[in-house]
Amino acid sequence: MMRASQRAWLILVSMAALAAIALVAAVACGSTGCRAVPADILWALRLPRALSAFAVGGLLALAGALMQILLRNPLADPYVLGVSGGAAAGAMTAMLLAPVALMTWSVHLGALAGALLATALLFGLARGALLHLVAAVSGVRLILTGVMIAAGFGACMTLILSLAPDARLRGMIFWLMGDLDNNLLYAPACVALVLAVAWACVNAARLNVLSHGDAAAQLLGVPVVRLRAVTLLVASVATAAAVAVAGTIGFVGLVVPHALRMVFGHDQRLLLPASALGGGIALVLADLLARTVVAPTQLPVGVITALVGVPVFLFLLGRGRA
């Protein structure tokens, strides 16, 4: 029989090959169909956009997998703790106030600043929950803290939308549904993905123990409080990086880890890198659909992930596996 390590490597290599195929398809096809286009369009537009989609999808799926371990809640996703709300509020503030000439960079920097502010608020307000070793209690406190942070930023977004001039309102709404047009930060996003996956792989064995309970992990010598804090920080920063690049894109961080867990099991040494690859593949293909399904009009990629993610998640719930 095939050893577990050999099976894991085979799965990861197969998913990496699928990721390469998805990236090639995203570069080769566009709103004009799968036909030859000038090289500058391939290298300056399609490849950066495909890499942005892969990095953002990988970051969201990995963050979702980490949040589900940390909170032991199958409904946890990268947006449950309010980080995306902070990023969206920051980006929309930049859209409202920034001059047109600096709009693109201002949106990215505003989103990143808002996400980091939300992360700082979360750590400041939920410090007691991170130190608490009763998983059910600490998980509920973290979620409630995140929900309140998200509600506060949601009120800020409503205020910004009500004050925004008509000329900028469409751009704000489009960004809120996921926008991969501005791919200036694809390289930092790819670096963030590599660093997050490297940390997850190094700590996967400890996360396996943590998933069985804080008390048991502490008895086995795992530094529970530090591991939980760093896991939350990695998931939050990964979400911040993804949202700063592409806006709010739902369901990738919720559905992809669930689907892979059904197929591959609960071993985090396989599930975490597979989630990063699976999320990247899912968002690259979703973006390809968004660019081609009603070409030459482009849909927000968040519309595609929602249209696919909702029935998939309902199917998982119906089977009792979610």
Side-chain angles (χ1 to χ4, degrees), residues 100-140:
V100 175
L102 301 176
M103 180 66 70
T104 299
W105 281 107
S106 298
V107 170
H108 289 313
L109 293 176
L112 185 60
L116 294 178
L117 173 61
T119 302
L121 286 174
L122 180 64
F123 271 85
L125 296 173
R127 184 170 57 250
L130 289 172
L131 297 175
H132 209 296
L133 291 181
V134 180
V137 175
S138 60
V140 169

Side-chain angles (χ1 to χ4, degrees), residues 36-132:
V37 295
D40 57 342
I41 293 180
L42 291 178
W43 296 106
L45 295 178
R46 289 188 183 177
L47 181 60
R49 179 166 181 148
L51 291 175
S52 294
F54 184 83
V56 168
L59 286 167
L60 290 176
L62 180 62
L66 291 174
M67 293 304 302
Q68 290 164 15
I69 297 169
L70 180 66
L71 301 177
R72 296 189 192 92
N73 188 328
L75 296 180
D77 76 342
Y79 299 148
V80 73
L81 297 182
V83 177
S84 69
M92 292 172 64
T93 301
M95 290 180 189
L96 181 65
L97 301 177
V100 175
L102 301 176
M103 180 66 70
T104 299
W105 281 107
S106 298
V107 170
H108 289 313
L109 293 176
L112 185 60
L116 294 178
L117 173 61
T119 302
L121 286 174
L122 180 64
F123 271 85
L125 296 173
R127 184 170 57 250
L130 289 172
L131 297 175
H132 209 296

